[in-house]
Amino acid sequence: TMSGVLLGVAVAVTAAGVGISAAQGADQADQAKKSMEQSQANADRTAKQADQDFNRANQRKPDTAAILSAAQQAGKGGASGTMLTGAQGVDPASLTLGKNTLLGA
């Protein structure tokens, strides 16, 4: 019957159209995902560049005057002055050898 054949052909054409539409929809979804990923990559790159520009503009510089002043103040303690001994240095009597101690007796 001719109407059955026409109905079958119509169903086949409709099914093919739905398949094509589904494939196109999947392609569009893939394109949208790629576009979104590219946009995110561009945003990340822009944020990184902005951070680098900010850091370059706001560099911290050492306070050389304060460093020099601290070194000069430390130098006033003399050659024997260290953080461990202080300005008076080491007591020479504590360096003598041959004295009686508990370990050397």
Side-chain angles (χ1 to χ4, degrees):
T1 99
M2 187 59 123
S3 64
V5 171
L6 289 178
L7 181 61
V9 169
V11 169
V13 168
T14 303
V18 168
I20 291 171
S21 293
Q24 288 174 345
D27 288 344
Q28 289 174 348
D30 287 343
Q31 289 292 336
K33 183 178 178 183
K34 288 178 185 176
S35 176
M36 186 174 64
E37 289 171 352
Q38 184 65 38
S39 295
Q40 184 63 43
N42 289 342
D44 290 344
R45 209 171 15 257
T46 301
K48 183 178 179 182
Q49 185 63 44
D51 192 37
Q52 289 175 355
D53 291 344
F54 177 81
N55 289 341
R56 190 175 301 113
N58 295 300
Q59 290 181 12
R60 295 181 59 181
K61 295 181 174 76
D63 186 357
T64 54
I67 294 169
L68 182 60
S69 174
Q72 288 172 342
Q73 292 298 323
K76 289 182 180 180
S80 63
T82 66
M83 287 177 42
L84 299 176
T85 63
Q88 71 278 1
V90 177
D91 180 21
S94 68
L95 299 176
T96 58
L97 299 176
K99 63 181 181 177
N100 290 337
T101 65
L102 292 176
L103 295 175

